[in-house]
Amino acid sequence: MNKFKDIGLMNKEKLLQIFDYLNERLRENQMQLEITIYDGSIMTMVYDNRPATRDIDCVFSETNFKLLDNILELTKFAFNLTDGWINEEIKEPLKSILKEDKETYRVYSNLKILKPKAEQLLAMKVLAARPEPAKDFVDAYILCKDLNITTKEKLLDICSGYIYLTLIGERQRKFIEYLGEDLGYDWK
């Protein structure tokens, strides 16, 4: 029995099954789609940081949205997903990003999945700096380790490529300070 089925969580395996299913429905409808995934979906699929995610934070390329909505409803039904399983609210924070730096994550016959590079994702996590239960801090820690960031200067240099440093307020400053402390550095 799938332990994620009843509570609406999607683990890496289920996410990949959903993308396979989406690709098949797109193929049947002779439709091509490009989707960029963010946040929990990436941390679950790419970094194996989370056992599961509640939604797929994403942005779709320009497409036939009436047909896509139908395909998404079929997917929701087929996988017994909760309302809000597709979350396009990421569009709002993306307005603060200076540039998108995407790379291909996976290519199917009719579906292409993109993701932001780790540097962009880290800058987005620092800017968001949400308190628990959001996973921004844990995600930023993993991304710093992955990118071998050992100084506050290097972190801020990366961030400045994606966000205006003037957007960093007290919450983000504390976030960075605690991040450095957890990594074993003094970033005051």
Side-chain angles (χ1 to χ4, degrees), residues 16-168:
L16 292 174
Q17 289 171 355
I18 288 168
F19 289 131
D20 283 338
Y21 181 87
L22 276 173
N23 181 64
E24 284 306 307
R25 300 299 75 77
L26 291 165
R27 190 179 53 72
E28 290 169 0
N29 288 281
Q30 299 176 358
M31 186 175 167
Q32 294 288 323
L33 180 67
E34 188 174 277
I35 181 175
T36 305
I37 59 171
Y38 298 87
D39 208 27
S41 309
I42 293 176
M43 299 312 288
T44 299
M45 291 175 38
V46 178
Y47 293 96
D48 292 323
N49 175 31
R50 300 183 187 181
T53 185
R54 290 191 185 281
D55 60 9
I56 299 173
D57 295 295
C58 64
V59 175
F60 295 104
S61 60
E62 293 299 317
T63 189
N64 178 339
F65 283 106
K66 187 173 181 170
L67 181 55
L68 178 60
D69 285 344
N70 184 45
I71 291 170
L72 295 175
E73 279 300 313
L74 287 172
T75 306
K76 177 183 169 188
F77 180 80
F79 288 90
N80 193 29
L81 301 169
T82 59
D83 288 341
W85 72 277
I86 284 286
N87 182 358
E88 290 186 272
E89 291 176 9
I90 192 71
K91 287 179 180 179
E92 191 58 36
L94 284 174
K95 292 176 182 177
S96 298
I97 299 297
L98 297 172
K99 68 175 180 176
E100 282 261 47
D101 207 355
K102 302 177 192 177
E103 58 191 10
T104 301
Y105 171 67
R106 192 166 281 222
V107 178
Y108 298 84
S109 61
N110 293 65
L111 175 65
K112 183 176 184 179
I113 301 173
L114 304 174
K115 68 174 198 64
K117 288 190 174 182
E119 293 85 353
Q120 178 186 334
L121 190 56
L122 177 59
M124 292 173 71
K125 293 294 181 179
V126 168
L127 182 61
R130 296 170 292 187
E132 293 295 329
K135 304 288 187 214
D136 293 332
F137 190 82
V138 173
D139 294 347
Y141 177 91
I142 297 226
L143 291 164
C144 281
K145 288 288 216 181
D146 186 58
L147 295 167
N148 196 30
I149 296 173
T150 59
T151 67
K152 180 173 75 173
E153 291 72 26
K154 186 171 180 183
L155 174 68
L156 292 175
D157 185 50
I158 287 172
C159 287
S160 70
Y162 298 96
I163 61 173
Y164 291 111
L165 293 183
T166 54
L167 294 174
I168 293 180

